[in-house]
Amino acid sequence: MATDAVAQLADSLAKTQVTEGELSYKGQGRKFDNAQSVEEMVKEIQEFKGLQALRLEGNTYGVEAAQAIAKALETKSEFKYCYWSDMFTGRLRSEIPPALNSLGAALMTAGARLTVLDLSDNAFGPDGVKGIEKLLKSTACHTLQELRLNNCGMGIGGGKILAAALTECYKQSSAQGTPLGLKVFIAGRNRLENDGATALAQAFQLMGSLEEVHVPQNGINHPGVTALATAMQHNPQLRVLNLNDNTFTKKGAIAMAQALKHLRSVQVINFGDCLVRSEGAIAIAEAVTEGLPILKELNLSFGEITGEAALLVAQSVEGKATLEKLDLNGNCLGEEGCDALREVMDGLNMGDLLGSLSDDEGEPEDDDEDDEEEEDDYEEDDDVEEEDSSVNQVSSPPSVPRPPDAASFLCFPSPDKLLKLGTKRALLFEQQVDVADAGKTAEAFLKISSVYNEEDEDVKSAKNSWFSSALYYCSPRVSPSLCLIQSEDKVKPVRVVPGHLQALEYVVRQDYFPQDHIAVLEAFIHIQALESCSSARNILKSTLEQVRPEN
């Protein structure tokens, strides 16, 4: 069959040498448990002269398999590029640190000088960061230019360990006369929050070499945003700044705007879903007007920006000859505000650079503006309380921990928050989410499954208790939300992560999963959106074949 031929060709291409010095096993969806299972791979690595890059992503490796591969790498002194994302699907979390330790130790033994280290989509948590801590501090990383740790679940603790390791690497490399010059840092979806972001900001400020920073969806609020803003001022070559889906509010946005005034090389700014609000947008517009001469993209979508502020943003891009896109979708302009914005952009001969406004929220009600002011006042009160507590630590009564809150989890999902909801978590979710509303239930399903982790039995059981009561209602909308199906409904697409597919793999094996949806999932399991989760996808595919009803 044609599909079999395509699959064989894809497997063949995945294994072949793509560029000079590269050996690739990318996306084969294979499970390597022990040394015997990787004998052929080890032989190919050993025989490959001048090996510079190894692609292991899209398979799953046990400790013994990783140790065998590591042994083969010990003689590869020319090695530079580690493409090792999505390589632990289905493994216990305890397996990952020793596997990473052995691979890192091999690179140090070989005397390798790394340029790229990509461990994205491995969900290894803080312990995984400990597994690469020695490598990051070693001479092997003195030459590192790109560090990619997207969707690794590092948390605050992992963020602090990573920051300390990068700081130590910089100090040691500087002492040898070749300071670490990291250019690209990617760590989206890691639950870094304020403390993790602040720790990393200190390392960024010290290095001063960054050109791209991507930290979207990390639960960072204005204190963390402000720390990052300060750090960015010390990285004059910064070209891309992506903090999408964190929470700036006015204070964070103003701090970031001040930082932008010190930067001349920025080309892409992504502050979408960051709640910059009108005052923050005005401050950013001022920074754009005064500088950023080679700006290409400015994303301030879904930020509760009103019409007047949006017009100032539009006016700020006048004369930006390199501009390719201005995104102000999902704000609070209203129909007249949208028309006025289009008119301004047309007047600047930039009408075709304005993104869609189809998701505009409409003009805010007076109550909404009052709520915004109250929230900003609340932020200031928090700052005062923090200052007071730092001065009067002895006399102040201890703070009372906030009770578990399902709503808080659904805003910023994390395994820790899920577990803290306790044994009644399923009930709390049912109270928070109307399971009769397919759209809302699908959204909750995606958020809960985003922190799904095969290695953590506690987290797995915490999620599974709610899935059974919700799935019947949400399953018609799960696929379109995962970008598997083009739906006529307005479903905001989400980035697919392994947890989504791992959760689906669990639920399709349950009696409550509608049998008629198996064929739907099988039909769309090969789409491009799932390529970054190839191991989880292949496991789901295998399960679907097992549970498929007989004709």
Side-chain angles (χ1 to χ4, degrees):
M1 293 176 63
T3 53
D4 293 334
V6 171
Q8 291 173 4
L9 177 61
D11 288 342
S12 176
L13 288 174
K15 193 174 179 180
T16 57
Q17 182 177 337
V18 179
T19 60
E20 184 179 358
E22 177 179 293
L23 186 60
S24 177
Y25 300 90
K26 179 180 179 179
Q28 296 183 11
R30 298 172 64 185
K31 187 176 183 182
F32 300 103
D33 293 324
N34 48 43
Q36 184 178 2
S37 66
V38 293
E39 281 183 352
E40 181 182 351
M41 185 186 301
V42 166
K43 183 180 179 181
E44 291 177 345
I45 293 172
Q46 290 172 334
E47 295 177 351
F48 197 112
K49 302 297 183 181
L51 181 65
Q52 296 184 29
L54 180 61
R55 291 188 173 274
L56 299 176
E57 65 263 53
N59 303 290
T60 178
Y61 303 83
V63 176
E64 290 185 17
Q67 290 172 340
I69 294 169
K71 190 68 177 176
L73 289 172
E74 288 182 351
T75 60
K76 304 300 178 180
S77 59
E78 297 177 46
F79 196 78
K80 296 180 180 180
Y81 306 98
C82 302
Y83 298 110
W84 297 347
S85 63
D86 187 21
M87 57 181 284
F88 296 114
T89 297
R91 300 293 172 183
L92 295 173
R93 180 167 289 185
S94 59
E95 293 182 86
I96 300 177
L100 291 173
N101 266 318
S102 60
L103 289 167
L107 298 178
M108 290 185 277
T109 299
R113 294 293 183 268
L114 296 184
T115 300
V116 176
L117 178 58
D118 185 356
L119 290 166
S120 297
D121 298 317
N122 278 313
F124 47 49
D127 290 341
V129 184
K130 293 178 182 177
I132 60 171
E133 187 177 7
K134 289 182 180 179
L135 174 63
L136 289 172
K137 292 179 178 180
S138 74
T139 55
C141 285
H142 286 187
T143 53
L144 193 64
Q145 293 184 15
E146 297 185 17
L147 180 58
R148 301 171 181 268
L149 296 169
N150 200 59
N151 191 38
C152 287
M154 291 189 289
I156 295 172
K160 289 182 175 180
I161 295 169
L162 176 61
L166 290 174
T167 299
E168 183 65 22
C169 182
Y170 178 81
K171 290 179 178 179
Q172 290 189 13
S173 60
S174 296
Q176 296 181 16
T178 55
L180 171 65
L182 190 68
K183 294 181 179 180
V184 177
F185 180 84
I186 301 176
R189 293 183 60 84
N190 271 290
R191 309 189 316 275
L192 295 171
E193 301 184 21
N194 290 331
D195 290 347
T198 299
L200 284 167
Q202 293 171 351
F204 296 163
Q205 183 169 331
L206 189 64
M207 291 185 292
S209 56
L210 288 167
E211 296 181 8
E212 294 188 27
V213 175
H214 302 261
V215 285
Q217 267 188 295
N218 269 293
I220 306 171
N221 300 325
H222 76 84
V225 171
T226 300
L228 288 170
T230 301
M232 293 306 101
Q233 294 183 40
H234 296 268
N235 288 264
Q237 301 306 314
L238 188 70
R239 296 184 294 104
V240 179
L241 185 56
N242 176 8
L243 277 82
N244 187 282
D245 204 3
N246 290 290
T247 308
F248 284 32
T249 59
K250 179 181 69 176
K251 296 185 71 172
I254 291 174
M256 195 59 74
Q258 287 299 117
L260 291 174
K261 292 181 179 181
H262 296 268
L263 302 169
R264 304 285 296 175
S265 301
V266 173
Q267 298 178 21
V268 177
I269 298 172
N270 187 345
F271 296 160
D273 282 297
C274 284
L275 206 66
V276 299
R277 297 213 169 107
S278 296
E279 289 186 70
I282 292 170
I284 292 170
E286 182 180 332
V288 173
T289 301
E290 294 179 4
L292 304 178
I294 56 174
L295 184 66
K296 289 184 177 180
E297 296 183 20
L298 176 58
N299 183 349
L300 296 178
S301 60
F302 299 93
E304 292 191 2
I305 301 169
T306 57
E308 185 177 347
L311 293 179
L312 291 174
V313 173
Q315 291 165 1
S316 73
V317 301
E318 182 178 5
K320 306 294 180 185
T322 56
L323 190 73
E324 296 175 0
K325 184 175 181 179
L326 173 62
D327 191 347
L328 287 166
N329 196 22
N331 284 297
C332 306
L333 312 184
E335 186 174 345
E336 292 183 2
C338 289
D339 289 341
L341 180 60
R342 293 188 187 99
E343 185 177 339
V344 168
M345 291 298 288
D346 288 339
L348 298 174
N349 294 320
M350 291 180 163
D352 57 335
L353 306 184
L354 180 64
S356 170
L357 299 175
S358 60
D359 294 318
D360 186 73
E361 298 287 343
E363 293 186 56
E365 301 291 337
D366 291 339
D367 290 343
D368 294 336
E369 295 179 355
D370 291 341
D371 290 342
E372 179 179 323
E373 291 177 3
E374 287 177 7
E375 287 182 31
D376 288 333
D377 289 342
Y378 179 71
E379 284 181 9
E380 293 175 6
D381 291 343
D382 282 348
D383 292 340
V384 172
E385 288 177 8
E386 288 173 6
E387 291 174 6
D388 289 345
S389 63
S390 64
V391 175
N392 303 311
Q393 289 181 0
V394 177
S395 59
S396 299
S399 59
V400 179
R402 294 181 62 181
D405 185 353
S408 174
F409 170 85
L410 292 173
C411 287
F412 297 111
S414 75
D416 291 340
K417 288 182 181 178
L418 184 67
L419 294 175
K420 286 179 180 178
L421 291 175
T423 57
K424 294 183 179 180
R425 59 181 69 89
L427 177 61
L428 292 174
F429 282 128
E430 288 177 22
Q431 292 172 344
Q432 185 68 32
V433 181
D434 181 5
V435 294
D437 186 322
K440 291 180 180 178
T441 308
E443 184 179 356
F445 176 89
L446 290 168
K447 289 183 176 181
I448 296 172
S449 61
S450 70
V451 294
Y452 193 96
N453 193 337
E454 282 290 333
E455 298 88 36
D456 195 323
E457 292 297 327
D458 291 336
V459 174
K460 282 175 63 178
S461 61
K463 297 175 183 66
N464 297 343
S465 62
W466 183 72
F467 287 159
S468 59
S469 63
L471 189 80
Y472 176 78
Y473 297 100
C474 76
S475 52
R477 293 285 292 274
V478 170
S479 292
S481 295
L482 286 173
C483 309
L484 299 180
I485 301 173
Q486 285 292 334
S487 171
E488 293 181 1
D489 297 332
K490 282 191 176 181
V491 179
K492 184 180 179 182
V494 297
R495 181 180 180 276
V496 184
V497 297
H500 292 142
L501 303 186
Q502 291 165 2
L504 281 175
E505 194 276 334
Y506 168 81
V507 296
V508 298
R509 289 187 276 110
Q510 310 308 311
D511 293 337
Y512 54 74
F513 187 81
Q515 294 292 300
D516 57 335
H517 291 145
I518 292 175
V520 176
L521 286 176
E522 284 186 315
F524 292 93
I525 201 71
H526 300 288
I527 66 168
Q528 187 175 4
L530 304 184
E531 286 184 358
S532 63
C533 313
S534 55
S535 292
R537 177 185 64 184
N538 290 329
I539 293 171
L540 173 59
K541 178 183 176 183
S542 176
T543 300
L544 288 171
E545 291 173 352
Q546 295 173 21
V547 301
R548 183 194 303 134
E550 296 181 4
N551 294 329

